[in-house]
Amino acid sequence: FVQQYSTNVELLLQQRGGKLANAVMVENFIGKAASAVEQFGAVKPIKNMARHSDTPLISTPSDKRWVFPTDYDWADLIDNQDRLRMLVDPQSPYVMNGVEAMRRAQDDVILQAFFATSMTGENGSTSTIWDTGQNVANTVGAAGATGLNVAKLRAGKKLLMAAGVDLENDPVFMAITAADHDNLLNEQQAINLDYNTTPVLVDGRITAFMGVNFIHVEYTNATYDAASTLHPSTTRYAPMWAKSGMKLGIWNDVTTSIDRRADKRNSWQVYITATYGSTRL
């Protein structure tokens, strides 16, 4: 039962994955913390102004960005042997429920990292707060207490391009809620074929526009709105990012077990645990 259940859970996670996992860089780590990336700043060459002049030494600025693990657990009790046998079915509600719990946890750890304080430095002890200069609300023409619109999408793309993101090779994503999607439906530029070479609406949904791939994640409000002191609860923040700009670290993808609980009148317990971490790069 344990082996078959573990296989079913792992297969479903691989097939479906979290909503955001395919939109970020993913890497496996071990230990209590890990260096997610070595950061190297841009440098400029120096013109050779004279023959046999000294070789210029140009110091390359470098830093490290760190990611820290968070453990997630899920468990449920199975009352009888018949239900226990259901666990070998990949479509079992117990299997599906456990998979969905882990997928939401994986998305949640990524969502929390978008605007959270990242850790940098040789030992990951330097706090790097979110740069509010990257807030679209601070840009000209896109501010105001309005929902998601074309002006804000343009401002977001402008910020990414100005930062040197290679849009030809680095896909851009944006996490939106149902309210954000509904706001876009009011934008003629987003839904009218006069402004687009290919249809944007597919089965009534906008999945991509202006080179931005939209991912519907409805639990973004609870993740980084009211719970965040950085952002007031009256503002909904929808992150736009290049894939190379976010990292999901996996310490322990999925570990499952099925055991009899003597303290629960010998009921069978299904248990899943996973360890994830995420950071801006």
Side-chain angles (χ1 to χ4, degrees):
F1 284 131
V2 174
Q3 181 59 43
Q4 185 64 47
Y5 178 76
S6 300
T7 301
N8 290 342
V9 171
E10 290 171 3
L11 286 175
L12 280 174
L13 281 170
Q14 290 173 2
Q15 291 171 3
R16 303 181 65 185
K19 290 188 176 183
L20 300 177
N22 292 329
V24 300
M25 309 297 288
V26 180
E27 187 174 351
N28 293 317
F29 295 118
I30 59 174
K32 63 180 182 179
S35 175
V37 67
E38 295 278 352
Q39 298 174 323
F40 297 95
V43 294
K44 292 182 179 180
I46 296 177
K47 290 183 179 180
N48 188 344
M49 304 301 293
R51 296 178 69 243
H52 309 304
S53 58
D54 292 340
T55 302
L57 295 178
I58 303 173
S59 179
T60 299
S62 62
D63 211 337
K64 289 184 179 181
R65 182 59 56 91
W66 292 78
V67 60
F68 298 87
T70 301
D71 300 316
Y72 292 91
D73 299 282
W74 174 90
D76 197 1
L77 292 176
I78 312 299
D79 293 331
N80 53 53
Q81 294 286 355
D82 291 336
R83 292 188 176 183
L84 181 62
R85 292 185 177 90
M86 286 176 58
L87 296 177
V88 299
D89 178 11
Q91 302 304 315
S92 162
Y94 293 101
V95 175
M96 300 297 292
N97 203 27
V99 168
E100 292 299 327
M102 286 298 117
R103 291 179 71 227
R104 286 192 298 271
Q106 191 181 80
D107 286 342
D108 194 59
V109 74
I110 297 174
L111 288 169
Q112 292 182 37
F114 278 118
F115 304 116
T117 298
S118 298
M119 305 308 295
T120 58
E122 184 68 26
N123 301 309
S125 57
T126 302
S127 297
T128 303
I129 64 173
W130 167 253
D131 180 7
T132 56
Q134 297 298 304
N135 288 351
V136 164
N138 293 342
T139 62
V140 177
T146 61
L148 184 60
N149 54 36
V150 173
K152 292 180 180 180
L153 291 178
R154 288 177 54 191
K157 285 289 292 289
K158 180 181 178 181
L159 286 171
L160 290 176
M161 294 175 68
V165 175
D166 182 4
L167 298 181
E168 294 183 2
N169 300 300
D170 203 353
V172 175
F173 299 90
M174 187 173 187
I176 62 173
T177 65
D180 300 320
H181 182 267
D182 189 64
N183 289 328
L184 283 180
L185 290 177
N186 285 325
E187 296 287 298
Q188 284 298 313
Q189 289 175 266
I191 62 176
N192 197 321
L193 279 176
D194 291 341
Y195 298 96
N196 302 282
T197 56
T198 57
V200 174
L201 279 175
V202 180
D203 296 329
R205 293 179 58 239
I206 301 176
T207 57
F209 178 63
M210 288 178 53
V212 180
N213 301 287
F214 298 113
I215 303 175
H216 178 214
V217 186
E218 195 55 40
Y219 37 97
T220 52
N221 285 348
T223 304
Y224 51 76
D225 275 3
S228 173
T229 57
L230 182 61
H231 305 119
S233 59
T234 55
T235 302
R236 180 171 63 255
Y237 275 68
M240 179 190 290
W241 73 96
K243 184 173 182 177
S244 64
M246 291 295 296
K247 171 72 67 81
L248 170 66
I250 300 176
W251 273 257
N252 169 38
D253 199 354
V254 172
T255 300
T256 63
S257 64
I258 302 175
D259 305 288
R260 190 180 291 277
R261 290 280 302 273
D263 61 325
K264 298 296 182 181
R265 298 181 179 178
N266 283 331
S267 293
W268 289 91
Q269 175 182 274
V270 180
Y271 176 74
I272 305 177
T273 182
T275 303
Y276 303 116
S278 185
T279 185
R280 295 189 307 275
L281 296 181

